[in-house]
Amino acid sequence: MKLPWAVSGATLVAALLLGGCQLINAAEEPTDLYTITPKSTFDADLPPVFWQLAVEVPAAAANLNTGHIAIAQSPTSSDYYSKTAWTDRAPLMVQTRIVDSFENSRKIVAVARESIGLRANYVLQPDLRNFEAMYFYGGTPIVHVRIVAKLVRMPDRQIIGVATFERCVRARADKVPKVVDAFDQALGSVMKRLVAWTLRAAPPKPPGEYDGYNIDKFRNPANAIIDSEDCPKGNDASMVPLTDE
C-alpha cells in the first residue's frame, strides 16, 4: 500500500534539487552595498590629549544590530530596504568610523577598537539608540541618529562622563543613495561632537593610579551632556534640515 504522503526517490531528488536552486538564486540576488565616511574636520580649539583610548562595539537593539539599512514606517515599526545593505553590521561600521574620526582629529596618542586589546587609559562605550530612516513625517525620509556614550577610566572602570548626541537629516529624495547621504551627514555630525566631548571629558595627561574624582562633576546625573538638534518635536518636522544644508 502506498501512503498518501509518500514520495518516490526521483520525486524527492527533484524536489531537493529545485529547493537547492531556489536557495542559490536567492543567495545570488544582487545587493547594493553602502558605507559611511568618518569625520575629518574639527574645531581648531580641540585639545590634544596624551592618553590611549579603546572604542567598544556600540551596543544596539536587535533591529539595528544587522547589516540591513533600517527604516521605520511608523514610530512602533521597523523594517529594511530590500536588496541593499551596509558593508558591515551597523554597530561594527559605526565603531570603525568613530575610530577613524578620532585618528583624523590628530589630537590623541592612540585609539583602536577595544577587541585588539590596547592597553587603554580610557574606554569609550557607545550605545547606538537610533540609526534608521523615518517615513512617518511625510515628504522624503528623515534619518535619525542617536548615540549615548560613556567614558570609562581604566583600570578601575569608573564612569567619568555620560553624553547623548542626536541629529536628524532629511534626504533630498526617497532613493537609497540619497538616504545614505543623509545617514552620512547625520552620523558625521554626531561623531564630530562625540570626538570633541571625549577629548574634553578627561584631563590631557593619562590618569594616575591615585587620581581622585570630582564627585559633583562625574557622578551627578545633572551633569550628563544632552546634545540634540534638528530632530522633530512631536509631529513638527519643519526644523529638520535637508542633506548638505
Side-chain angles (χ1 to χ4, degrees), residues 181-198:
D181 288 344
F183 269 103
D184 196 58
Q185 182 169 323
L187 181 64
S189 182
V190 165
M191 290 191 300
K192 177 179 180 178
R193 286 154 180 81
L194 174 61
V195 168
W197 168 79
T198 303

Side-chain angles (χ1 to χ4, degrees), residues 121-123 125 150-154 157-160:
N121 304 114
Y122 295 96
V123 174
Q125 297 179 332
K150 297 178 177 66
L151 187 61
V152 181
R153 194 179 86 159
M154 302 299 287
R157 304 197 70 84
Q158 288 288 330
I159 296 173
I160 67 164

Side-chain angles (χ1 to χ4, degrees), residues 163-208:
T164 298
F165 302 96
E166 179 180 41
R167 290 295 184 274
C168 293
V169 176
R170 187 184 287 277
R172 287 193 172 270
D174 187 8
K175 297 180 180 179
V176 174
K178 297 298 184 182
V179 175
V180 170
D181 288 344
F183 269 103
D184 196 58
Q185 182 169 323
L187 181 64
S189 182
V190 165
M191 290 191 300
K192 177 179 180 178
R193 286 154 180 81
L194 174 61
V195 168
W197 168 79
T198 303
L199 297 178
R200 292 187 172 105
K205 294 183 178 180

Side-chain angles (χ1 to χ4, degrees), residues 87-164:
T87 54
D88 206 337
R89 287 192 297 114
L92 290 173
M93 182 177 65
V94 170
Q95 179 197 33
T96 299
R97 294 302 174 246
I98 291 174
V99 171
D100 292 342
S101 297
F102 273 103
E103 291 176 340
N104 290 343
S105 75
R106 299 183 180 274
K107 297 292 186 177
I108 190 168
V109 171
V111 58
R113 298 174 185 84
E114 190 271 339
S115 60
I116 73 167
L118 175 73
R119 189 175 179 84
N121 304 114
Y122 295 96
V123 174
L124 184 66
Q125 297 179 332
D127 190 339
L128 189 61
R129 300 287 178 87
N130 294 95
F131 197 66
E132 70 274 345
M134 303 183 294
Y135 275 81
F136 48 89
Y137 284 101
T140 57
I142 296 173
V143 168
H144 183 196
V145 176
R146 181 166 61 114
I147 292 178
V148 178
K150 297 178 177 66
L151 187 61
V152 181
R153 194 179 86 159
M154 302 299 287
D156 51 355
R157 304 197 70 84
Q158 288 288 330
I159 296 173
I160 67 164
V162 179
T164 298

Side-chain angles (χ1 to χ4, degrees), residues 23 37 51 64 67 82 86 103 137 181 222:
L23 288 175
T37 60
W51 35 262
L64 300 180
S82 63
W86 299 118
E103 291 176 340
Y137 284 101
D181 288 344

